[in-house]
Amino acid sequence: MEVERDTVAVGEFEFECGESIPELEIAYEAYGEFTGENAVLVCHALTGSSHVAGHRTEGTSGQARAWWDDIVGPGKAIDTTEYYVVCANVPGSCYGTTGPASENPETGEPYGTDFPAVTVGDWTEAQRRLLDELGIPHLHAVVGGSVGGMNALDWVKRHPDHVERVVPIAAAARLDPQCLALDAVARRAITTDDDWQGGEYYGTDAKPTDGLALARQIGHIMYLSKASMDQKFGRRAAGRDAMRTFPVDPAGTFFPYRDVESYLDYQAEKFVERFDANAYLYLTRSMDNYDLAAGFEDDADAISAFEGEALLMSFTGDWHFTTEQSEQVAEAFREVGGPVAHHVIESDHGHDAFLVEPEKVGPPLSDFLEEGVDGTAITDTAEDDETESQFAPVHTSLFS
Amino acid sequence: MEVERDTVAVGEFEFECGESIPELEIAYEAYGEFTGENAVLVCHALTGSSHVAGHRTEGTSGQARAWWDDIVGPGKAIDTTEYYVVCANVPGSCYGTTGPASENPETGEPYGTDFPAVTVGDWTEAQRRLLDELGIPHLHAVVGGSVGGMNALDWVKRHPDHVERVVPIAAAARLDPQCLALDAVARRAITTDDDWQGGEYYGTDAKPTDGLALARQIGHIMYLSKASMDQKFGRRAAGRDAMRTFPVDPAGTFFPYRDVESYLDYQAEKFVERFDANAYLYLTRSMDNYDLAAGFEDDADAISAFEGEALLMSFTGDWHFTTEQSEQVAEAFREVGGPVAHHVIESDHGHDAFLVEPEKVGPPLSDFLEEGVDGTAITDTAEDDETESQFAPVHTSLFS
């Protein structure tokens, strides 16, 4: 598979908060061949990168490492022999696009916390600028999971005439207060780490790795479900080789170091090597702040100018972005009257499911890109209501 | 109401871990008059104290402050004109019973992290020692919520012949891995706080208040439900008077300080004034480690010697100690064959419900203490199965 991997400078960029940076650089990857009508923009999740598929780059891990390779590629659900697939790292992140860890050209030092506040709207506008540079006026589809699904919804809101089809997966119009609270605690874990140093830790010997590790662990728990954690770890102790990576007092060693702890510690340790703490602050705030209805009367009003087709996908075990939240978005599309389907996937995996269950995500996604909501692998909750509700006429008639 | 408030020294105490302390002091409160057959032991939750009811003591807050005054008192569900109600602070805590913050008589310094590891079994044995001191051989009932409900179950397991009735409320035979993980992250927040100083912060200028605050916030989120957080806070910004108590970088101020954050920050600030960080480490480990079946074949085997009656209560909105977990405990009691009821309370409140919905908890509790499982206000899931299941004969017959 041909991969285009580049960073383009798009000039001065004004953020939604009103502040500007003199030069925004955007790291992106693109796969396949552009024919004028076949561009698919993939929006990455919170800690993702532009490296969505293809050869796994040396030294990358987690979502920096070809994070959707099961879905994007030749003959895969987002088929790179048919579509020209573009994925760009978002502003505020730390995978090549300008963010807090990048050098401020005016000072020659990293921006640090002088970097402007970033919103999901800024992500969309940065992607728009990149696509302009690449000569892509129009998108066949925008696809994104998690906060990437919010990003996809934002495209429909901001550029309704330039998107044919949208696929928000495990997404929502806005986070609920429970998730806002957990994200807020995660940020406090970073900012109370003495090594955070008010965000100006670049170039010093210390980095807020403990705080970032804790933040990641809170996030990680949000991505899993009770059921998947039960199956994966239970309450069992970790293997004898497992090493505690966090300080523990003597009494603590009386109790087992559990498998679930060992897993979270190991994952966090890998994460702090690949991700920047300030970027984590900035991007979780982008996510928390996103509200599809902002500036409009309600969700339906926000997407009312969109005349394309929408496929919502959600997972029954997901408590971070719930099926109910996707259903609300589907309702908004229904209200507006465009073709829409909400495909609910039964899964014990939590929010993670959009990454770890490609065999369930792939078929409806592939069909939708080809045929729209009439694709054969696609189910819709609106149809479920008619056929399965116990209050439907067909059942009532049994009693009448 | 007459309140007996005292601390008794019960001599040397050997913990389950094998280590001893030369003198265990136990702080307790008792209400009502002991008649020989009317003692009710109330077991407090994680951060509770012996001060369960009565005049609110000056300078106390949260669960240190007459935490079940709506339930315990003259004419209330646990009627102190009928029952002699005893509540003792558990070993490892910081409300009068010996714990990490207490002075080690051998050194004249606080124990700190030299304090032995503490288990729920140690709590039970300490309570047993206290009751021996008070001349109470036999309990009419043991009642407890949350980990206090685990403590109550432990009584049935360890002293089956000395308990007539048991009421584990919003409890479980063991925590699930999701909650274990969140507790583990909470402990890491404390032990990675530089001010924790390996647990030897007593008498120094610094205390790990940031770490303890984060730990509490994680716990607090576990006690609430999505629905209650939605209703209570939504996504709205905090009032203009709300002050941020955690550090934030300049870009963070572009985004609202939300009501849900302000609430958690305020609660955490109060909590760190009243609770000891090491005690939080010790007691969460007691809870995480508890397993009713430990040392037995399974839960039913562990309680098989109990011939009294059991009332389980659980709340539909509780994701910390779920209704399913209480049902598993009820199944174990059913297997053993004793009278048992599992009373499920519909509530949008989460785990908190056992504290904040006394009007729902009171009637079945009161009836059970008087009449056992035949009390009129008590429902049972076993009966629900028969009358409500769509597969039950009464419904099927409509179609036959």
Side-chain angles (χ1 to χ4, degrees):
Chain A
M1 176 173 56
E2 187 86 3
V3 182
E4 214 178 306
R5 185 176 295 130
D6 207 352
T7 303
V8 297
V10 299
E12 188 181 354
F13 189 85
E14 186 180 336
F15 290 83
E16 199 176 336
C17 66
E19 291 178 44
S20 299
I21 57 172
E23 182 79 89
L24 174 65
E25 294 195 330
I26 302 176
Y28 76 97
E29 294 194 6
Y31 313 81
E33 211 171 301
F34 184 50
T35 63
E37 297 290 330
N38 70 337
V40 172
L41 177 69
V42 172
C43 303
H44 66 70
L46 193 68
T47 65
S49 71
S50 61
H51 187 40
V52 63
H55 296 296
R56 294 198 158 159
T57 311
E58 281 291 323
T60 58
S61 72
Q63 285 197 55
R65 185 187 170 118
W67 55 271
W68 229 13
D69 195 45
D70 292 320
I71 292 289
V72 177
K76 297 182 184 173
I78 304 181
D79 190 341
T80 51
T81 64
E82 275 192 65
Y83 301 109
Y84 181 65
V85 180
V86 180
C87 183
N89 187 219
V90 300
S93 182
C94 52
Y95 288 124
T97 294
T98 313
S102 308
E103 187 184 299
N104 180 344
E106 286 169 359
T107 65
E109 302 285 324
Y111 280 103
T113 54
D114 286 339
F115 198 78
V118 180
T119 65
V120 172
D122 294 324
W123 301 355
T124 306
E125 292 316 307
Q127 288 156 340
R128 178 69 270 172
R129 292 272 284 271
L130 169 69
L131 296 175
D132 289 345
E133 287 286 327
L134 299 179
I136 302 169
H138 208 79
L139 291 168
H140 174 67
V142 185
V143 181
S146 190
V147 68
M150 288 173 157
N151 192 172
L153 285 171
D154 199 55
W155 265 91
V156 162
K157 175 177 166 179
R158 289 174 181 263
H159 301 289
D161 299 336
H162 298 281
V163 176
E164 293 293 319
R165 290 173 191 177
V166 64
V167 190
I169 304 176
R174 64 197 63 79
L175 276 196
D176 67 34
Q178 186 186 54
C179 295
L180 291 179
L182 286 164
D183 284 347
V185 177
R187 283 191 295 274
R188 281 157 179 69
I190 293 170
T191 61
T192 58
D193 186 330
D194 288 341
D195 292 336
W196 180 60
Q197 307 171 57
E200 306 306 328
Y201 52 83
Y202 303 109
T204 74
D205 287 342
K207 281 188 180 182
T209 48
D210 281 341
L212 182 58
L214 292 174
R216 176 57 168 187
Q217 294 188 328
I218 292 171
H220 207 134
I221 295 167
M222 294 166 82
Y223 307 149
L224 304 174
S225 68
K226 265 195 198 299
S228 67
M229 293 183 87
D230 260 332
Q231 288 158 20
K232 206 165 180 169
F233 313 112
R235 289 173 50 90
R236 72 176 169 272
R240 276 170 45 181
D241 294 344
M243 297 270 288
R244 291 182 198 254
T245 53
F246 280 91
V248 68
D249 54 291
T253 59
F254 173 70
F255 301 101
Y257 179 52
R258 293 186 194 277
D259 213 20
V260 63
E261 295 179 86
S262 161
Y263 175 82
L264 290 172
D265 287 348
Y266 175 73
Q267 295 292 336
E269 211 174 358
K270 283 201 303 183
F271 183 71
V272 300
E273 282 167 22
R274 77 172 173 93
F275 213 78
D276 174 52
N278 282 336
Y280 201 82
L281 296 180
Y282 276 72
L283 298 187
T284 56
R285 285 192 300 237
S286 306
M287 174 167 67
D288 292 2
N289 188 62
Y290 190 70
D291 188 337
L292 175 59
F296 290 82
E297 267 183 34
D298 55 24
D299 294 343
D301 189 38
I303 57 173
S304 59
F306 178 64
E307 293 181 344
E309 302 195 25
L311 172 64
L312 283 300
M313 279 201 243
S314 67
F315 303 89
T316 54
D318 186 352
W319 62 281
H320 190 355
F321 288 83
T322 67
T323 284
E324 289 73 23
Q325 286 173 310
S326 277
E327 182 62 13
Q328 281 172 15
V329 177
E331 284 293 346
F333 278 103
R334 285 179 197 130
E335 206 177 316
V336 169
V340 55
H342 177 197
H343 183 87
V344 177
I345 294 172
E346 285 284 336
S347 170
D348 271 351
H349 290 278
H351 187 55
D352 250 4
F354 85 94
L355 294 169
V356 301
E357 303 228 65
E359 70 291 348
K360 292 183 180 172
V361 170
L365 175 54
S366 160
D367 277 14
F368 179 74
L369 293 179
E370 283 299 293
E371 306 162 49
V373 295
D374 295 330
T376 50
I378 298 167
T379 63
D380 183 21
T381 48
E383 288 165 25
D384 292 350
D385 285 351
E386 278 168 38
T387 54
E388 286 180 16
S389 162
Q390 58 177 312
F391 303 106
V394 62
H395 285 202
T396 312
S397 66
L398 288 171
F399 297 90
S400 60
Chain B
M1 178 173 53
E2 187 85 2
V3 182
E4 215 178 304
R5 184 175 296 131
D6 207 352
T7 303
V8 296
V10 299
E12 190 181 354
F13 189 87
E14 186 180 337
F15 290 83
E16 198 177 337
C17 66
E19 292 178 43
S20 299
I21 58 172
E23 182 80 87
L24 174 65
E25 294 196 331
I26 303 176
Y28 77 98
E29 294 195 6
Y31 314 80
E33 212 170 300
F34 184 50
T35 64
E37 298 290 333
N38 69 337
V40 172
L41 178 69
V42 173
C43 303
H44 66 70
L46 192 68
T47 65
S49 72
S50 61
H51 187 39
V52 62
H55 296 296
R56 295 199 156 158
T57 311
E58 280 292 322
T60 58
S61 72
Q63 284 196 56
R65 185 187 171 119
W67 55 271
W68 228 14
D69 196 45
D70 292 321
I71 293 288
V72 177
K76 297 181 184 173
I78 303 181
D79 189 342
T80 51
T81 64
E82 275 192 64
Y83 301 108
Y84 180 66
V85 180
V86 180
C87 183
N89 187 218
V90 300
S93 182
C94 52
Y95 289 124
T97 294
T98 313
S102 307
E103 186 185 299
N104 180 344
E106 287 169 359
T107 64
E109 302 285 325
Y111 280 102
T113 55
D114 286 339
F115 199 78
V118 180
T119 66
V120 172
D122 294 323
W123 300 356
T124 305
E125 292 317 305
Q127 288 156 341
R128 178 69 270 172
R129 293 271 284 271
L130 170 69
L131 296 175
D132 289 345
E133 287 285 329
L134 299 178
I136 302 169
H138 208 79
L139 291 168
H140 173 68
V142 185
V143 181
S146 190
V147 68
M150 287 173 156
N151 191 172
L153 285 171
D154 199 56
W155 264 90
V156 162
K157 173 177 169 179
R158 288 173 181 263
H159 303 288
D161 299 337
H162 297 282
V163 177
E164 295 293 318
R165 291 175 190 176
V166 64
V167 190
I169 305 175
R174 64 197 63 80
L175 277 195
D176 68 33
Q178 186 185 54
C179 295
L180 291 179
L182 286 164
D183 284 348
V185 177
R187 283 191 295 273
R188 283 157 177 68
I190 293 171
T191 60
T192 57
D193 186 329
D194 288 340
D195 292 336
W196 181 59
Q197 307 171 58
E200 307 305 328
Y201 52 84
Y202 302 109
T204 73
D205 287 343
K207 280 188 180 183
T209 47
D210 281 342
L212 182 58
L214 291 175
R216 176 58 168 186
Q217 294 188 328
I218 292 170
H220 207 134
I221 294 167
M222 295 167 83
Y223 308 149
L224 304 175
S225 68
K226 265 195 198 298
S228 67
M229 293 183 87
D230 259 334
Q231 287 157 20
K232 208 166 178 167
F233 313 111
R235 290 174 47 92
R236 70 175 172 274
R240 277 171 44 183
D241 294 344
M243 296 271 289
R244 292 182 197 254
T245 54
F246 281 91
V248 68
D249 55 293
T253 59
F254 172 70
F255 300 102
Y257 179 53
R258 293 188 193 276
D259 212 20
V260 64
E261 295 179 85
S262 160
Y263 175 83
L264 290 172
D265 287 347
Y266 175 73
Q267 295 293 336
E269 212 175 356
K270 283 201 305 184
F271 183 71
V272 300
E273 281 168 22
R274 77 172 174 94
F275 213 79
D276 174 51
N278 281 336
Y280 201 83
L281 296 179
Y282 275 72
L283 298 186
T284 56
R285 284 193 300 238
S286 307
M287 173 167 68
D288 292 2
N289 188 60
Y290 190 71
D291 188 338
L292 176 59
F296 290 81
E297 268 184 33
D298 54 25
D299 294 342
D301 189 38
I303 56 174
S304 59
F306 178 63
E307 293 180 344
E309 304 195 24
L311 172 64
L312 283 300
M313 279 201 244
S314 67
F315 302 89
T316 53
D318 187 351
W319 62 281
H320 190 355
F321 289 84
T322 67
T323 283
E324 289 73 23
Q325 286 174 310
S326 278
E327 182 62 15
Q328 281 172 15
V329 178
E331 285 292 346
F333 278 103
R334 284 181 197 129
E335 205 176 316
V336 169
V340 54
H342 177 197
H343 183 87
V344 177
I345 293 173
E346 285 283 337
S347 170
D348 271 351
H349 290 278
H351 187 54
D352 249 5
F354 85 94
L355 294 170
V356 300
E357 302 228 67
E359 71 291 349
K360 292 182 179 170
V361 170
L365 175 55
S366 161
D367 277 14
F368 179 74
L369 293 179
E370 284 298 293
E371 305 162 50
V373 296
D374 296 330
T376 50
I378 298 167
T379 63
D380 183 20
T381 48
E383 290 166 25
D384 292 350
D385 285 351
E386 280 168 37
T387 53
E388 285 181 17
S389 163
Q390 57 177 314
F391 303 105
V394 62
H395 285 203
T396 311
S397 67
L398 287 171
F399 297 91
S400 59

